[in-house]
């Protein structure tokens, strides 16, 4: 059995763009959760800094993650997100279950 692909993404909205980032992320999350290989897509906003976002993602395996990356919704989402955040792109950290 193959290992799941687990990661978290963090990013910071530009000043005044937090609500737009949240709306964009909410819409994107709906589509990702419907993907066949997605197990978890949990998009959150930090309580003490509402411009900071944390997304926890789990995919059935690397094949499912690659399918997610190639999904038609990903390119426009990432292009729109890039315009609204401080970082050049979301910062990804890959994880492994113990």
């Amino acid at each position: 059995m193959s290992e799941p692909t687990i990661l978290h993404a963090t990013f910071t909205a530009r000043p005044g763009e937090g609500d737009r980032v949240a709306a964009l992320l909410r819409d994107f999350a709906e589509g990702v959760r419907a993907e066949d290989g997605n197990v978890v897509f949990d998009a959150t906003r930090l309580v003490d800094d509402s411009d900071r976002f944390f997304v926890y993602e789990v995919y059935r395996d690397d094949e499912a993650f690659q399918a997610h990356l190639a999904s038609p919704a990903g390119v426009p989402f990432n292009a729109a997100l890039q315009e609204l955040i401080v970082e050049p792109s979301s910062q990804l950290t890959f994880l492994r279950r113990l």
Side-chain angles (χ1 to χ4, degrees):
M1 185 171 160
S2 60
E3 290 285 318
T5 296
I6 306 168
L7 66 140
H8 70 75
T10 59
F11 44 90
T12 309
R14 291 183 179 175
E17 300 292 3
D19 289 340
R20 287 182 63 198
V21 169
L24 181 70
L25 192 53
R26 267 193 301 275
D27 289 345
F28 184 61
E30 285 183 39
V32 174
R33 290 179 187 131
E35 292 174 8
D36 181 50
N38 179 258
V39 179
V40 175
F41 190 90
D42 192 12
T44 60
R45 205 169 182 176
L46 275 64
V47 170
D48 59 354
D49 184 351
S50 63
D51 285 338
R52 296 275 303 145
F53 293 82
F54 181 93
V55 181
Y56 180 72
E57 304 176 50
V58 180
Y59 298 88
R60 180 183 58 238
D61 52 25
D62 187 59
E63 184 179 329
F65 179 62
Q66 295 304 319
H68 162 71
L69 293 177
S71 74
V75 171
F77 168 77
N78 285 308
L81 182 66
Q82 187 175 357
E83 297 298 316
L84 299 172
I85 63 174
V86 173
E87 302 83 0
S89 63
S90 57
Q91 307 300 296
L92 305 180
T93 301
F94 288 86
L95 307 165
R96 180 173 293 125
R97 285 193 176 136
L98 298 179

